């Protein structure tokens, strides 16, 4: 009997062969293959579950090998495959004839508990040519989300006999695969029409949504930063199915996937508290779990009160923002999770929030203000394409008519996004923000007037090379929103205005 388990050491994970040898000797169970504590404890859980399910546990020496032997194994999902492999080796279960995937945690009474990481396990098994998946009943919708293979759900271990006989006959359970869902997520409940005034903020977020650019919102408390950021996902197009599968796999590994196991086509929105740890943001722990920046893959990572986050947590975002993935290196292993998301930072101009605010007095010392600004640091800010100074909305605008609704903004964003997808088809990117330096010259062509305006802006603001590339990518997005081929002077000047806040010290309120 060929039983296969899965170790979620990264997004794809590794398939693990569960091998059992029963030989004469003092009764006992030996488990080899770099098994961690929860896996070693499965020996006693499996023994009790097998007996309480009406089967005889072998009264001989049982050797269980988890291959590859040099890969650390963690978690309780090995209970079910170990139990099935032992019963198969003892002749208590029919051999279905082909390799199959099994996942599940066993209780002592033989019932099967749900586990994490079923969706990536099914994806890995499907990639290896395995088409039969034995999973806990609660995880069955998740296992069917990919719409491939035969899923055999079980609530108890004693159901394995009937299910394995069903698999041996070639029959498949009568259950249709789930279709992708386009239901909106909770953060999209608000509409941009509720954001009165703030024309510059609305325009900047429209450009950011169209091109996949990162954003910094800086302004006093109550000026609308959080309100605008939480409505931002409503401007984004639906995820492509490939990205939706990756997002679902990340949530499955984290144990956050919805119980119905559907593929969500709406981009995720993550807003961690400013007390988040480095592992919580980037990923890590034992067993390994993706962090907030990976859970925001394909969507938005919103850091409200960004200056209150620990400096090391903020600086850890620099490489993921550049590469679109996270690499977690441990002794003897390296795991990678995708992290291609948009980051929105919202911050006050000073600790008290009154710096530069009309009619208010700032009580912060110069040292407090410098420390506050230094928290985010130049290297991180240099990776933020769009910076927006936000001021409180005047009373006459608050009482005025509602702004343009999210639906109208989203239609323009989707049109610009479609242009980019067609332009970059086959190049491994979908948005202007992901253009590599060597590609900018080909796709961000400036006319004569635009080139002259660009040179003047770079000289006056003393911009870095990364800042220059950022301006050209934002200008490319603005031209896409206007459905223009080449980039003109107006696009360059607007891109400079969206970029210069924070680079030009005169724009920091003093």
């Amino acid at each position: 009997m060929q039983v296969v388990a899965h170790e979620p050491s990264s997004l794809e994970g590794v398939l693990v062969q569960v091998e059992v040898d029963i030989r004469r000797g003092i009764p006992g169970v030996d488990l080899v293959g770099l098994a961690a504590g929860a896996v070693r404890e499965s020996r006693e859980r499996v023994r009790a579950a097998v007996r309480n399910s009406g089967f005889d546990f072998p009264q001989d020496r049982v050797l269980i090998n988890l291959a590859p032997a040099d890969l650390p194994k963690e978690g309780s999902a090995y209970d079910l495959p170990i139990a099935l492999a032992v019963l198969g080796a003892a002749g208590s279960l029919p051999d279905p004839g082909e390799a199959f995937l099994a996942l599940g945690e066993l209780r002592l009474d033989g019932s099967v508990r749900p586990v994490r990481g079923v969706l990536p396990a099914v994806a890995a098994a499907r990639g290896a040519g395995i088409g039969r998946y034995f999973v806990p009943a609660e995880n069955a919708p998740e296992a069917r989300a990919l719409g491939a293979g035969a899923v055999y759900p079980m609530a108890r271990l004693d159901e394995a006999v009937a299910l394995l006989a069903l698999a041996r006959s070639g029959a498949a359970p009568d259950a249709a695969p789930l279709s992708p869902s386009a239901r909106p997520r909770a953060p999209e409940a608000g509409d941009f029409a509720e954001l009165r005034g703030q024309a510059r903020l609305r325009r900047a977020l429209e450009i950011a949504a169209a091109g996949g650019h990162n954003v910094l919102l800086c302004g006093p408390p109550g000026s609308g930063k959080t309100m605008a950021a939480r409505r931002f996902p409503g401007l984004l197009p639906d995820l492509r199915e490939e990205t939706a599968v990756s997002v679902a796999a990340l949530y499955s590994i984290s144990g956050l996937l919805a119980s119905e196991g559907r593929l969500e086509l709406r981009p995720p929105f993550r807003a961690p508290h400013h007390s988040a740890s480095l592992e919580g943001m980037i990923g890590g722990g034992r067993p390994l779990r993706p962090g907030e920046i990976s859970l925001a893959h394909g969507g938005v990572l919103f850091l409200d009160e960004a200056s209150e986050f620990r400096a090391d947590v903020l600086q850890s975002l620099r490489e993921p923002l550049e590469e679109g993935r996270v690499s977690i290196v441990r002794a003897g292993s390296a795991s990678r999770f995708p992290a291609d998301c948009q980051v929105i930072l919202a911050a006050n101009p000073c600790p008290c929030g009154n710096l530069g605010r009309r009619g208010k007095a700032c009580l912060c010392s110069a040292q407090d203000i410098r420390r506050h600004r230094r928290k985010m640091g130049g290297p991180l800010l240099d990776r933020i394409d769009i910076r927006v100074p936000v001021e409180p909305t005047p009373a006459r605008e608050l009482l005025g008519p509602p702004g343009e609704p999210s639906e109208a903004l989203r239609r323009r964003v989707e049109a610009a996004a479609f242009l980019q997808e067609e332009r970059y088809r086959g190049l491994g990117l979908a948005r202007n923000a992901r253009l590599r330096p060597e590609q900018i010259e080909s796709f961000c062509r400036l006319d004569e007037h635009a080139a002259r305006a660009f040179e003047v802006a770079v000289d006056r603001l003393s911009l870095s090379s990364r800042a220059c590339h950022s301006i050209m990518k934002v200008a490319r997005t603005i031209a896409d929103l206007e459905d223009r081929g080449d980039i003109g002077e107006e696009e360059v000047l607007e891109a400079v205005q969206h970029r210069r806040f924070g680079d030009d010290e005169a724009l920091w309120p003093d």
Side-chain angles (χ1 to χ4, degrees), residues 467-478:
C468 294
H469 292 159
S470 175
I471 289 175
M472 297 184 72
K473 289 186 286 188
V474 172
R476 175 70 271 170
T477 300
I478 297 172

Side-chain angles (χ1 to χ4, degrees), residues 378-424:
L380 175 61
L381 286 179
D382 208 28
R383 291 167 169 81
I384 306 298
D385 295 338
I386 297 176
R387 296 93 171 272
V388 187
V390 184
E391 296 182 356
T393 305
R396 64 178 180 275
E397 294 184 4
L398 285 175
L399 298 175
E404 193 175 15
S406 296
E407 183 63 30
L409 296 174
R410 181 166 56 246
R411 285 196 295 267
R412 293 199 295 268
V413 168
E414 289 177 344
F418 178 77
L419 288 177
Q420 295 167 57
E421 290 178 0
E422 292 297 314
R423 181 190 303 134
Y424 305 133

Side-chain angles (χ1 to χ4, degrees), residues 1-15:
M1 181 178 292
Q2 303 178 59
V3 185
V4 177
H6 182 261
E7 176 59 37
S9 58
S10 60
L11 180 64
E12 297 82 11
V14 179
L15 294 179

